[in-house]
Amino acid sequence: MTPIMTKRTRQKGQSIIEITLITPLLLIALYIPADFGIAFYMGNLIQNAAREGARIGSGLSKSGKAPNLVFTSTQANTVKKEVFDRLPNLTNKSVTIRFYDGTACMEFVEVTAQGDYNFFLYQLMRLFGGTVPDFVTISRTTQIRYNYQQYTNTAYCMTPTTYGPYSS
């Protein structure tokens, strides 16, 4: 009976070694899809922030006296604040607001929001000697038609008034 006991003892040690070697690889293999999923989720949050900023900007009143009403930095700051309040926790966040306006053209608001996402996978690749960038920039742009204009305006305004990029 002694030889059987010795064989089982050796097998128990072998199992522990196998689990010890495979566990880090298994954890990495499970984390990679989660990391990309988080990046897609961040892209969705950035898109929502840009869309909400454009929606709010499309309903703002212009400044000045009629008929010379224009968008100013006051409206841009309102949009900027709303977008920054909705952006997820990323590095190097920035927002650019463009107001396309004119007299006989279709006016609209364009908001671009972006931020840098640090993939955990990239950090692991650098740990093992890979050369990869430190981050990936996620950028989303949304355009929404200005609410307070004539519906007969069908040609797009081509000259924007740009505010930004604003950084946080």
Side-chain angles (χ1 to χ4, degrees):
M1 275 189 123
T2 313
I4 294 175
M5 295 292 275
T6 308
K7 189 174 183 182
R8 286 186 178 170
T9 307
R10 287 183 189 160
Q11 287 179 345
K12 286 182 182 178
Q14 179 184 356
S15 297
I16 290 173
I17 296 296
E18 287 175 356
I19 289 174
T20 304
L21 293 173
I22 290 183
T23 300
L25 296 174
L26 183 62
L27 290 175
I28 290 171
L30 292 175
Y31 188 77
I32 290 171
D35 198 19
F36 280 103
I38 291 169
F40 283 120
Y41 179 65
M42 291 295 162
N44 190 25
L45 291 177
I46 292 171
Q47 178 64 43
N48 288 339
R51 187 181 306 119
E52 279 298 304
R55 184 189 64 78
I56 290 167
S58 70
L60 294 174
S61 299
K62 293 182 179 183
S63 299
K65 293 185 179 187
N68 298 324
L69 298 174
V70 293
F71 290 107
T72 64
S73 61
T74 305
Q75 288 86 3
N77 286 332
T78 302
V79 173
K80 174 189 77 164
K81 180 190 176 307
E82 294 297 330
V83 173
F84 275 127
D85 287 347
R86 289 171 170 79
L87 281 177
N89 189 17
L90 298 170
T91 56
N92 298 328
K93 295 186 279 190
S94 70
V95 175
T96 303
I97 299 116
R98 289 183 182 90
F99 295 106
Y100 289 83
D101 58 346
T103 55
C105 56
M106 186 167 52
E107 301 172 314
F108 58 96
V109 179
E110 179 181 281
V111 176
T112 301
Q114 69 180 29
D116 295 339
Y117 178 71
N118 299 316
F119 278 106
F120 181 70
L121 172 65
Y122 287 180
Q123 295 171 7
L124 287 176
M125 290 173 72
R126 273 195 299 282
L127 183 67
F128 292 113
T131 55
V132 292
D134 293 336
F135 56 86
V136 171
T137 301
I138 301 173
S139 179
R140 301 291 186 264
T141 301
T142 300
Q143 292 180 346
I144 293 184
R145 186 180 194 278
Y146 183 59
N147 288 340
Y148 306 112
Q149 63 180 316
Q150 296 177 5
Y151 285 101
T152 57
N153 295 349
T154 56
Y156 285 93
C157 296
M158 301 306 278
T159 308
T161 304
T162 303
Y163 297 95
Y166 300 107
S167 299
S168 66

